[in-house]
Amino acid sequence: MAGKFHRKKKTVAASRKKRKRSTPRSKPSGSLQTSVLGLLGERQQALGLQEIARELFISRGQLSALHKALTSLLESGKIEKQGKKYSSGAAPQSLRATVELTSKGYGFAVLEGEQAQKGKDVFIAPHNLGSASHGDTVQLVLIPSSRGRREGRVLAVEERAVTSVCGIYNGSTFGDFVTPDDDRLPYTVTIAPKDSANAQDGVIVVAEITDYGVERQGPSGRITEILGDARSARVQIRMAITQFSLRDHFSAAVIAEAAALTPVVECEEGRKDLRHLDHVTIDGETARDFDDAICVEITNEGYTLYVSIADVSHYVRPNSAIDQEAYLRGTSVYLPDRVLPMLPERLSNDLCSLVPHQPRPAFTAILRYDHTGKRLGEHYCKSLIQSKQRFTYTIINELLYLKTPQVREEFQALLPMLERADQLTVLLKKRRLERGSLEFNIPEPVVSLQDDQVSSIKLAERNRAHLLIEDCMLAANEAVAESLAKAQKPVLYRIHERPDPGKLETFTDAAKALGITLPRSEVNPAWFSEVISQVADTQSDYIVNNLLLRTMQQARYAPENVGHFGLAAPYYLHFTSPIRRYPDLVAHRVLQAWLLKEEARPTPQRGQDLAEAGIHLSQCERKAIEVERNVHARCSALFLMDRVGEIFPAIISGVSSFGLFLTLDETFISGMIPVATMTDDYYLHDSRRYRLIAQSTNRMYQLGDRIEARLDHVDLATKRISFSLASIPPAGEQKNNESTMA
């Protein structure tokens, strides 16, 4: 049955009913005129009165009303009549948009240009999608709607976002097909026997789509790669890479261009020789690219901080093959078993990496501070540096804070410089916190693999060494941003706008439910800092930090400087990581052009709109974050698959009418306790106080409560993890707790 359109099990019936046109429509809601317009707008051919009546379930007694509706539509010019048949009026203007599908089969069109500013995204019902899929660029028209929102119908697909899918291969009597791993793709890909690559039933494969089909028949394709068992961690990571269409290899042109680059080993004209300074790099144990180095000197005024950043702009010239590829990627993506770098390895791990004892070209911010940490002045230069040592956070922690004797003895020559750096960053942090800069305390889980298995998921270690280097980088980013803003040079700022008022109100309700007394002052960064300080090292710490983070808008890149709310910084951009972030490369190019009094070419194309670049690079960053979360969810499911029945300590991180959301203590894996499993009583949802209350016993489960949860089910396909309550506390104890909270 080659060509048969298979659908995923959960949407088979619904999707077929919606798309099959030989069966009558369900009785429409809303006005009769709207229903007629919707029907005629979908049809290519004209329809007679009886055909319209049959499609809309119009009885004989309603024909008069239908005739009046048609007459009114004809008079208004919304429909046309030829002979005895009616058709849609003049074709409406088509609009260009990107389709975003949901797992439920319907989608939204994100319009481009002026139309994007005229309201919310356009809803697209499943039967109006045609052959369009998630991420496709399409031409669509707006159609009449009785639902009070803009609705559209896809006319044509301009560009396909998905050219291959990753999923499970199924052979059946109905034919062979691949069910996509991405549940936003509401189809299966039919595979002819000759195109199956001898794949075995149930394995994970990559299939190239060779024919996208039509509305009534889904796409077909051929297997291009067999990945293996779905329970393999590396297979799951590869599935995520394919799902998000990440660029996981460099073209031959990019590799050749990188190979031809000549290293800078001498201090050429236009560079300042800083090889005599005690520059050091400080990174994690597994880091392979070192793009920032620091050195601190004592002066009569106070301190001089040198922040030297790899001079990527020297090697990556505007509109070169490397530059175009770096712009498309926007950022490096870090996954448990690999890095998808923005730049090829020749640059990221060699020419641009500030490895110890090797001369490297850099861009240095030289920042002067007084004895209180106030910045007195700044200047910038192209430089040649030579790192004296590659330090890890662990070693710096032992050197400066644990004061391990043998470690201090080993690095005695660099110890004075590091102690000066510590003194300065203590002052910088103090000033930053005083102005209201936020320091969220949210643990970051790290996935470790052994062969093809997830060996552990544990929290990333953070110590004062992390904060030391972070404060140096923040200082450089702020200084460069302020310098370019005051010089009125177009650049991409890292902006973070004020929190969403609606989300802030939601947080206020949740905080009250947790018994937190909120500051009465103006809601500004200092207000948030006070809340964070109030819950530090308490049971509510994790929950409150997460809830506060949800109130925040996403930071983004834009040419308009509106400041950074989270850092309480009037000027901020990214300057310190050009190996892994394209906006930092933009800042380098603009800064250099300003110093040389030249015209800047910050992006691949001459004259490219920086606002457009900011949108693209913000989207690249968000995709990277999304895929990292997706991989973590996959690995979490793998890690727990063989532990069904075990009991885990957890905290209630969310409450809804259909269950409790929870986060496990040790691994910070998220899951849910469906209310259907809470069979000891009937539970009522108190949405204002974020809790479920048992109707008979008054037993209560509230946001922030500690519980023990039994693992019941792990669904690897959907990455959903379900629990049940391992123990039920005495009702009396809960009543006392409730009266206290009230």
Side-chain angles (χ1 to χ4, degrees), residues 283-286 393-394 397 440-448 456-464 466-467 470 542 632 664-669:
D283 296 276
E285 274 78 1
T286 60
Y393 297 121
T394 302
N397 193 46
F440 287 109
N441 179 25
I442 299 178
E444 180 184 350
V446 175
V447 175
S448 297
S456 69
I457 298 180
K458 56 186 179 182
L459 302 187
E461 294 183 12
R462 279 182 62 83
N463 54 48
R464 287 178 62 184
H466 290 79
L467 304 179
E470 285 174 8
Y542 171 75
H632 181 264
L664 303 187
D665 286 354
E666 294 181 3
T667 59
F668 280 76
I669 292 174

Side-chain angles (χ1 to χ4, degrees), residues 294-299 301-307 366-376 400-401 416-432 464 467-468 471-472 475:
I294 64 164
C295 176
V296 178
E297 293 185 326
I298 290 286
T299 66
E301 297 173 306
Y303 303 87
T304 297
L305 168 63
Y306 298 84
V307 178
I366 304 172
L367 313 176
R368 296 184 294 107
Y369 295 91
D370 68 13
H371 293 285
T372 69
K374 178 183 178 181
R375 179 157 40 93
L376 301 175
L400 296 180
Y401 310 117
M417 189 281 291
L418 291 168
E419 290 178 334
R420 293 193 295 269
D422 181 47
Q423 294 164 13
L424 173 60
T425 53
V426 167
L427 298 174
L428 295 178
K429 181 179 179 179
K430 181 175 182 293
R431 295 182 71 90
R432 186 164 54 80
R464 287 178 62 184
L467 304 179
L468 182 151
D471 273 299
C472 291

Side-chain angles (χ1 to χ4, degrees), residues 241-276:
I241 291 171
T242 304
Q243 176 182 335
F244 288 89
S245 302
L246 296 181
R247 305 172 75 87
D248 60 349
H249 68 278
F250 291 98
S251 68
V254 170
I255 296 298
E257 192 173 276
L261 293 171
T262 303
V264 175
V265 295
E266 298 295 336
C267 196
E268 58 196 3
E269 184 180 355
R271 291 192 182 277
K272 188 170 184 176
D273 194 341
L274 300 180
R275 284 177 288 182
H276 63 284

Side-chain angles (χ1 to χ4, degrees), residues 371-578:
H371 293 285
T372 69
K374 178 183 178 181
R375 179 157 40 93
L376 301 175
E378 62 284 320
H379 70 278
Y380 314 95
C381 65
K382 292 275 189 168
S383 62
L384 189 72
I385 73 164
Q386 188 161 305
S387 170
K388 299 298 188 290
Q389 184 65 45
R390 185 252 161 151
F391 283 112
T392 65
Y393 297 121
T394 302
I395 293 296
I396 292 295
N397 193 46
E398 292 179 349
L399 264 173
L400 296 180
Y401 310 117
L402 300 180
K403 299 187 183 299
T404 306
Q406 54 268 43
V407 178
R408 290 171 71 87
E409 178 67 26
E410 181 181 356
F411 299 107
Q412 186 175 14
L414 292 170
L415 189 56
M417 189 281 291
L418 291 168
E419 290 178 334
R420 293 193 295 269
D422 181 47
Q423 294 164 13
L424 173 60
T425 53
V426 167
L427 298 174
L428 295 178
K429 181 179 179 179
K430 181 175 182 293
R431 295 182 71 90
R432 186 164 54 80
L433 294 180
E434 284 174 350
R435 76 187 187 204
S437 180
L438 305 184
E439 297 230 310
F440 287 109
N441 179 25
I442 299 178
E444 180 184 350
V446 175
V447 175
S448 297
L449 304 184
Q450 185 173 1
D451 298 324
D452 272 353
Q453 304 302 313
V454 179
S455 57
S456 69
I457 298 180
K458 56 186 179 182
L459 302 187
E461 294 183 12
R462 279 182 62 83
N463 54 48
R464 287 178 62 184
H466 290 79
L467 304 179
L468 182 151
I469 201 69
E470 285 174 8
D471 273 299
C472 291
M473 298 305 110
L474 289 173
N477 287 338
E478 288 185 41
V480 173
E482 183 174 357
S483 296
L484 292 177
K486 290 182 175 179
Q488 298 183 328
K489 297 300 176 184
V491 72
L492 286 177
Y493 295 95
R494 178 67 167 177
I495 66 173
H496 186 221
E497 293 145 302
R498 294 184 62 83
D500 179 89
K503 292 181 179 179
L504 190 58
E505 185 177 346
T506 300
F507 168 76
T508 301
D509 290 341
K512 290 177 181 177
L514 290 167
I516 297 170
T517 303
L518 298 175
R520 296 184 178 276
S521 59
E522 176 193 357
V523 178
N524 55 24
W527 185 91
F528 282 85
S529 290
E530 189 173 339
V531 175
I532 292 171
S533 298
Q534 185 183 151
V535 299
D537 300 321
T538 69
Q539 179 173 306
S540 302
D541 193 356
Y542 171 75
I543 294 299
V544 170
N545 274 268
N546 265 283
L547 291 173
L548 275 176
L549 191 61
R550 291 177 199 171
T551 70
M552 297 289 171
Q553 299 202 49
Q554 288 183 310
R556 59 189 177 91
Y557 298 108
E560 302 83 24
N561 177 46
V562 299
H564 195 291
F565 182 87
L567 293 171
Y571 308 97
Y572 195 71
L573 55 64
H574 278 161
F575 167 77
T576 55
S577 294

